[in-house]
Amino acid sequence: MNLRFTKMQGAGNDFCVIDATQHALTLSPAQLQRLGDRRFGVGCDQILVIESSRAPGVDFRYRIFNGSSGAEVEHCGNGARCFVRYVNEKGLSAKRSITVETVNKRLELHLRDDGRVSVDMGAPIFELARVPFNAEGLSPRLQGGFELWPLADLGVEVAVLSMGNPHAVMLVDDVDQSPVAQLGPQVETHARFPRKVNVGFLQIVSRSAVRLRVFERDAGETLACGTGACAAVVAGMRLGLLDAAVEVQTRGGDLKIEWAGAGASSAALDAPVIMTGPAQTVFEGEISL
Ligand SMILES: N[C@H](CCC[C@H](N)C(=O)O)C(=O)O
């Protein structure tokens, strides 16, 4: 099969975007891994497939596959920004705000006049069983009313939440000195995360600025992770360390995260997380799979 794709990136997190709005498309895990393969394929962190949708109020279906495994996942924040940029550039919709659905979330995507893209990433999920995280037999340390769970075998404690996909966030003094390559995969595949987990290394710079590195589930360390930025900032807010609008410095670029649940009572914890950042088309291509 000859497959046309558009290579895109958002804060350095890179994607192969496949337009399946005109024809149904099923890609095997091997074909997806070929697209993700940086040596013998196209090379990307994730593959994003755009499908039409007949669901009321939904403009498109948004499917996400990790490039290294071909596994379908629930959410991709940097990809969502590229999605609306693609839809606008290709004329698939005249609207600058679109609604898309993933396997388990509906997202509102907005192409701003300044060229950046804002995404309503939905509300964070704190119920451990929905992350999922198995806390059986563990006693958390409480900070600001939020739990930090010990992974004693690794000598770390993690904040645990979901943005639709699972995240574990560790507080570190200096992201540049953090053992991301060693500790990332150990937390990613820890037995207490039955669906594995994306691992955030969060350095607090001020109450409105952080530095972040993320070892992504099934992808390794990426230059940026949108859902990881949302999860890390929400964790920092709930730990009482961050205010309601935070600039996130990643290795691939800067993202802005806003959440009305910061410092709020439990009533506002279901407020949506808003992420703003860049999205760029890099090149068009075709590959024989
Ligand atoms: N590796 C992630 C999916 C991509 C997330 C990331 N690229 C983002 O921008 O949110 C997972 O397995 O849940």
Side-chain angles (χ1 to χ4, degrees):
M1 151 195 343
N2 279 341
L3 186 67
R4 294 198 56 72
F5 66 87
T6 299
K7 186 75 187 294
M8 301 188 76
Q9 66 93 9
N13 199 187
D14 65 345
F15 310 102
C16 284
V17 180
I18 310 294
D19 183 345
T21 56
Q22 307 307 314
H23 51 82
L25 178 69
T26 301
L27 293 170
S28 68
Q31 290 174 318
L32 290 160
Q33 288 171 300
R34 178 82 191 289
L35 284 168
D37 188 327
R38 297 190 185 281
R39 189 181 300 273
F40 300 114
V42 179
C44 60
D45 294 325
Q46 281 85 34
I47 296 96
L48 312 180
V49 178
I50 302 177
E51 298 179 348
S52 55
S53 171
R54 284 190 290 274
V58 175
D59 296 299
F60 299 96
R61 278 199 69 204
Y62 168 34
R63 300 184 70 185
I64 307 124
F65 301 85
N66 277 322
S68 67
S69 64
E72 183 161 14
V73 294
E74 311 90 340
H75 198 345
C76 177
N78 289 321
R81 296 197 316 275
C82 290
F83 190 109
V84 70
R85 165 82 66 212
Y86 178 91
V87 161
N88 183 268
E89 287 182 350
K90 298 293 184 183
L92 292 181
S93 171
K95 300 192 299 185
R96 293 178 68 83
S97 293
I98 59 172
T99 300
V100 304
E101 64 178 353
T102 73
V103 292
N104 64 358
K105 285 180 89 84
R106 279 196 184 188
L107 307 172
E108 302 293 329
L109 317 180
H110 176 65
L111 192 54
R112 292 159 41 122
D113 293 339
D114 66 5
R116 284 163 66 88
V117 182
S118 284
V119 179
D120 174 336
M121 297 285 284
I125 297 164
F126 301 107
E127 189 184 334
L128 298 179
R130 293 179 61 198
V131 174
F133 175 66
N134 175 6
E136 188 179 343
L138 293 185
S139 299
R141 180 170 69 83
L142 287 180
Q143 180 177 317
F146 195 41
E147 302 91 353
L148 284 164
W149 295 95
L151 300 178
D153 51 326
L154 300 180
V156 300
E157 56 180 14
V158 292
V160 175
L161 66 161
S162 169
M163 287 303 301
N165 58 346
H167 289 271
V169 181
M170 279 175 281
L171 293 171
V172 298
D173 295 331
D174 181 343
V175 290
D176 294 329
Q177 305 303 318
S178 295
V180 175
Q182 296 77 17
L183 196 50
Q186 292 176 304
V187 177
E188 177 206 7
T189 57
H190 197 281
R192 288 193 176 272
F193 294 98
R195 292 172 56 86
K196 301 196 284 186
V197 70
N198 297 284
V199 187
F201 296 77
L202 175 62
Q203 175 185 346
I204 305 290
V205 175
S206 72
R207 294 193 62 82
S208 59
V210 300
R211 300 178 69 211
L212 179 70
R213 292 172 67 183
V214 180
F215 189 95
E216 283 197 31
R217 175 179 62 171
D218 279 353
E221 181 174 8
T222 56
L223 291 176
C225 177
T227 51
C230 295
V233 166
V234 166
M237 288 170 173
R238 291 213 59 195
L239 292 168
L241 302 171
L242 296 173
D243 292 336
V246 176
E247 290 294 330
V248 181
Q249 181 188 338
T250 77
R251 293 192 153 186
D254 294 346
L255 302 172
K256 181 174 184 181
I257 307 294
E258 297 166 284
W259 187 50
S265 64
S266 56
L269 292 183
D270 60 356
V273 182
I274 309 298
M275 173 173 62
T276 302
Q280 179 195 24
T281 296
V282 181
F283 64 83
E284 308 278 351
E286 187 171 56
I287 184 171
S288 173
L289 292 178

